[in-house]
Amino acid sequence: MTDTEVFGIKDKIIKDIAAKSGTEDEKVSLLFPENPGMSGIVDPLSRKGNISEKVIIESLSSWFDIRYIEQIPDKEYDFSFTDKLSINYLKKFLTVPLIEKNSDKNLIIVNDPVFFSEADDLASFIGIKNYEIVLAVKSEIISFINSAYNQSESDSADDIVQDVEESADDIINEIEETTDLLDDTASAPIIRLVNHIISKAVKVNASDIHIEPYQDKFHIRYRVDGVLYEMFSPPRWMQSSLISRIKVMAKLNIAEKRLPQDGRIEVKIGNQQIDIRVSTIPTGFGERVVLRLLNKSGGLLRLTELGMSENIFDIINRLIHIPNGIILVTGPTGSGKTTTLYAVLSEINRPDINIITIEDPVEYQIRGIGQIQVNRKIGLTFAKGLRSIVRQDPDVILVGEVRDKETAEIAVQSALTGHLVFSTLHTNDSGSAITRLSDIGIEKYLISSSVKAVIAQRLVRVLCNNCKTEYTPDDLEAETLGISGEKLKGQTVYRSAGCDECVNIGYKGRMSIYEIMILDHEIQSLVLKTQDSNRIQNEAVKKGMTTLREDGVTKILNGITTIEEVLRVTNA
């Protein structure tokens, strides 16, 4: 549709939208795009004018005599168009074909009547002759596009599932024959299904695979960049065979289904060495399995690659070169604490210093560093290992986690006798780490004299540069972040969209945000008087500490992440 056709009824459209939305005619007129053929009408009015998208589309529907559908019908559709069309094209013009199986009723949905020619081009390209163009809101179109491409991507898994169903009688006999993930001669469909599940997880850079049984089906979900996504749901009857295959690979007892079990699988996919930790627990509907994937071929990150601001980097670089004391890294599970500590050790690792670690587990081997694996079955705990490490003449000690009073006491004594000790704690912010040590049973005077700094951190997902979209946040978002709307004026802020490069997630990779509390004389004195984490935290902020939220806001304004991400990880 040309700009001339649109402007022929521009005034009528403006009046209609203004009346239906309760907005002044002048405001709608000012927001009406000067070149609708390029930008469309719906997006500029809804995004900049804060006018309901539904109201705009209903108005356009009546003026252009195009049917509007509120919800895409739940029917069986043909998704073969995904092989011919780029997902970027469909999302750019917010248009998608609805091709019903065993029917000649074809629809092409658009979000904006301005993009009729693009819809016609789409129909011509995929060979649709008889079709009706209809209007729908953006969320419905995006949801259908994502569903179509997700469905087409999981065809290989569906094919494998079909093979499993066709050879169900032979599964139990074949399942224990092969334990090599990449054994190309393995013909058992259940083996190929497990291989597919693991290899796809590696491909999308998933950290965990969740296999979850329910009453009538079981789900397989991947955790990618800290967020769980459902990938596929094989038939319920396959659950036992699939879990048995995984247990065989992990050398677990396949006959024992009443007790939790832990195991490990090592596989090679191409040139990647993958270490998989397997955990099973019994539930009311069968065993639940979680596979933690660790790519040992990925290499260690350096401090400069963690996404620190220049100020944060300078502070950490100064701290890790002090001669003695404890430096704690805090945050919930999966917040990147171990990655940060490994980067620190790599930074200070030199031939003239002795570094020894005790970890559970040892995730990466670092050349030149002595690393001890905790083994509770033989009595090698953090405390016992740490007590032995002190006798090994170390300069730097890494304790995987301070979990009990005994470990904490030895770490404190090590710090007071001239060692630099790094360790982790599970707390929400830097101030809470002091309270946690006190709760464990460490005297306040020991905490104040041994702990030099507490680094709190979180991981935020990084926006995909290929598809991130610019927008103007409202005052409510600014207020939720704890900043004034004035600070956001003139700033470029982005939100996620989704494309082929980021597997339609909108994000690609993660980056840390930090908060560093240095225990100077004033904070040390406060620690001696109180264990109130809020008072300690507030005092650190008064002295200029950048909080997690503030570091997150910096990354938002730099176009690295989104407001939603920072709020998600900092709303403790």
Side-chain angles (χ1 to χ4, degrees):
M1 186 168 292
T2 64
D3 285 357
T4 305
E5 291 173 289
V6 173
F7 280 107
I9 52 173
K10 174 184 172 182
D11 292 339
K12 295 177 181 178
I13 294 172
I14 289 172
K15 286 184 177 296
D16 192 28
I17 292 173
K20 287 179 178 176
S21 64
T23 309
E24 294 177 3
D25 290 13
E26 272 190 337
K27 183 180 178 183
V28 179
S29 180
L30 286 171
L31 293 167
F32 202 95
E34 294 180 3
N35 187 355
M38 296 293 291
S39 62
I41 300 172
V42 178
D43 188 59
L45 289 178
S46 61
R47 183 161 51 86
K48 296 179 182 177
N50 203 22
I51 301 171
S52 166
E53 183 186 0
K54 183 180 176 183
V55 166
I56 299 167
I57 292 176
E58 283 178 340
S59 177
L60 296 175
S61 170
S62 61
W63 282 105
F64 291 105
D65 194 25
I66 308 166
R67 185 160 64 95
Y68 163 65
I69 57 172
E70 284 197 29
Q71 193 171 18
I72 294 175
D74 187 14
K75 295 180 179 178
E76 204 170 332
Y77 295 106
D78 179 1
F79 295 129
S80 59
F81 65 87
T82 58
D83 296 330
K84 302 176 182 178
L85 292 168
S86 161
I87 193 171
N88 292 336
Y89 178 90
L90 299 182
K91 286 190 174 182
K92 180 180 179 180
F93 296 108
L94 289 173
T95 179
V96 67
L98 252 62
I99 307 169
E100 281 187 46
K101 289 185 178 179
N102 305 318
S103 172
D104 56 0
K105 295 180 180 178
N106 297 318
L107 299 177
I108 292 184
I109 304 179
V110 297
N111 179 244
D112 202 310
V114 166
F115 298 131
F116 269 7
S117 60
E118 285 75 11
D120 289 333
D121 290 343
L122 181 153
S124 174
F125 186 75
I126 61 177
I128 298 178
K129 294 182 179 178
N130 301 313
Y131 60 92
E132 176 190 4
I133 294 179
V134 297
L135 294 173
V137 295
K138 179 179 179 179
S139 59
E140 277 294 302
I141 295 173
I142 293 291
S143 177
F144 186 84
I145 291 171
N146 288 338
S147 175
Y149 279 84
N150 287 340
Q151 182 77 24
S152 65
E153 277 195 55
S154 63
D155 281 346
S156 57
D158 292 338
D159 292 342
I160 297 169
V161 169
Q162 182 63 37
D163 288 345
V164 174
E165 290 176 340
E166 290 172 359
S167 57
D169 295 336
D170 301 323
I171 285 175
I172 301 302
N173 294 328
E174 292 176 318
I175 198 167
E176 297 190 42
E177 290 179 2
T178 307
T179 58
D180 183 1
L181 177 69
L182 298 180
D183 186 352
D184 292 332
T185 64
S187 59
I190 199 73
I191 293 176
R192 292 194 290 116
L193 179 58
V194 172
N195 291 356
H196 174 81
I197 290 168
I198 295 173
S199 60
K200 187 174 175 81
V202 173
K203 181 181 177 182
V204 300
N205 202 27
S207 61
D208 302 85
I209 303 171
H210 290 241
I211 300 171
E212 305 165 331
Y214 296 100
Q215 188 168 4
D216 56 347
K217 63 173 66 174
F218 77 107
H219 299 296
I220 295 173
R221 297 195 291 171
Y222 292 168
R223 188 178 293 279
V224 181
D225 291 337
V227 178
L228 279 170
Y229 297 92
E230 186 171 325
M231 302 307 288
F232 30 80
S233 297
R236 175 75 166 79
W237 66 266
M238 289 172 53
Q239 171 195 332
S240 178
S241 300
L242 188 143
I243 291 174
S244 292
R245 167 61 183 166
I246 292 171
K247 290 171 76 172
V248 166
M249 294 173 73
K251 297 180 174 61
L252 300 178
N253 184 354
I254 64 170
E256 181 55 77
K257 301 180 180 181
R258 301 164 301 171
L259 294 173
Q261 296 186 65
D262 294 309
R264 176 168 286 186
I265 305 169
E266 288 191 3
V267 298
K268 189 176 181 183
I269 299 178
N271 59 353
Q272 300 181 83
Q273 193 73 32
I274 312 298
D275 187 25
I276 304 171
R277 279 178 276 161
V278 181
S279 171
T280 72
I281 58 170
T283 71
F285 301 112
E287 289 180 285
R288 190 182 192 279
V289 181
V290 174
L291 291 79
R292 168 65 59 89
L293 277 60
L294 179 66
N295 191 336
K296 291 191 170 183
S297 307
L300 292 173
L301 293 175
R302 301 190 63 81
L303 274 179
T304 51
E305 298 172 321
L306 297 180
M308 299 175 185
S309 63
E310 188 176 341
N311 179 48
I312 296 289
F313 176 82
D314 289 342
I315 295 172
I316 290 181
N317 196 41
R318 188 171 70 250
L319 285 172
I320 65 178
H321 287 96
I322 61 176
N324 56 67
I326 297 177
I327 297 175
L328 294 169
V329 180
T330 75
T333 301
S335 58
K337 301 186 296 296
T338 303
T339 300
T340 296
L341 286 175
Y342 275 7
V344 165
L345 293 185
S346 297
E347 188 74 21
I348 63 176
N349 186 17
R350 303 189 310 271
D352 60 331
I353 64 171
N354 182 21
I355 304 174
I356 305 179
T357 76
I358 180 159
E359 306 168 60
D360 184 22
V362 174
E363 295 191 3
Y364 292 97
Q365 296 289 342
I366 308 176
R367 187 182 296 275
I369 294 178
Q371 296 173 270
I372 302 170
Q373 169 78 53
V374 167
N375 189 341
R376 290 179 182 79
K377 291 179 181 178
I378 60 172
L380 180 53
T381 61
F382 277 114
K384 190 169 184 179
L386 183 53
R387 189 176 284 109
S388 299
I389 287 173
V390 176
R391 303 190 193 108
Q392 291 280 313
D393 185 32
D395 297 295
V396 177
I397 301 169
L398 167 64
V399 184
E401 183 183 347
V402 173
R403 296 180 180 175
D404 52 52
K405 183 179 179 181
E406 188 180 4
T407 306
E409 284 178 338
I410 302 168
V412 167
Q413 291 302 324
S414 300
L416 294 174
T417 53
H419 303 92
L420 179 58
V421 180
F422 295 100
S423 191
T424 69
L425 275 176
H426 291 283
T427 62
N428 288 327
D429 54 40
S430 53
S432 300
I434 305 301
T435 306
R436 178 64 55 84
L437 288 176
S438 184
D439 289 342
I440 286 174
I442 305 301
E443 296 291 341
K444 293 177 184 176
Y445 74 92
L446 290 174
I447 298 173
S448 66
S449 56
S450 63
V451 178
K452 301 300 181 184
V454 182
I455 303 169
Q457 74 173 80
R458 298 289 190 278
L459 289 175
V460 292
R461 292 182 291 173
V462 176
L463 279 163
C464 172
N465 282 323
N466 188 55
C467 63
K468 65 182 182 182
T469 57
E470 185 179 334
Y471 83 111
T472 304
D474 55 35
D475 291 339
L476 180 61
E477 286 178 299
E479 186 181 330
T480 308
L481 271 176
I483 59 176
S484 65
E486 292 294 323
K487 187 173 180 180
L488 291 177
K489 283 188 177 176
Q491 297 281 358
T492 302
V493 180
Y494 295 89
R495 57 184 164 198
S496 61
C499 65
D500 287 339
E501 284 193 20
C502 59
V503 203
N504 301 318
I505 294 172
Y507 299 93
K508 205 171 180 182
R510 287 188 289 179
M511 180 179 285
S512 297
I513 57 174
Y514 293 93
E515 157 182 304
I516 305 175
M517 182 178 73
I518 299 173
L519 275 74
D520 58 14
H521 294 304
E522 287 82 1
I523 294 180
Q524 285 176 342
S525 299
L526 186 60
V527 170
L528 290 172
K529 297 173 187 174
T530 180
Q531 63 177 40
D532 185 339
S533 62
N534 289 328
R535 282 187 62 187
I536 297 169
Q537 186 84 1
N538 291 337
E539 179 64 25
V541 171
K542 284 179 187 176
K543 296 180 72 61
M545 179 181 76
T546 300
T547 65
L548 285 166
R549 180 71 62 83
E550 288 169 346
D551 194 29
V553 168
T554 301
K555 287 180 169 56
I556 292 169
L557 299 180
N558 288 337
I560 296 169
T561 191
T562 63
I563 291 174
E564 292 80 11
E565 267 300 286
V566 173
L567 291 176
R568 179 179 69 86
V569 301
T570 60
N571 275 337

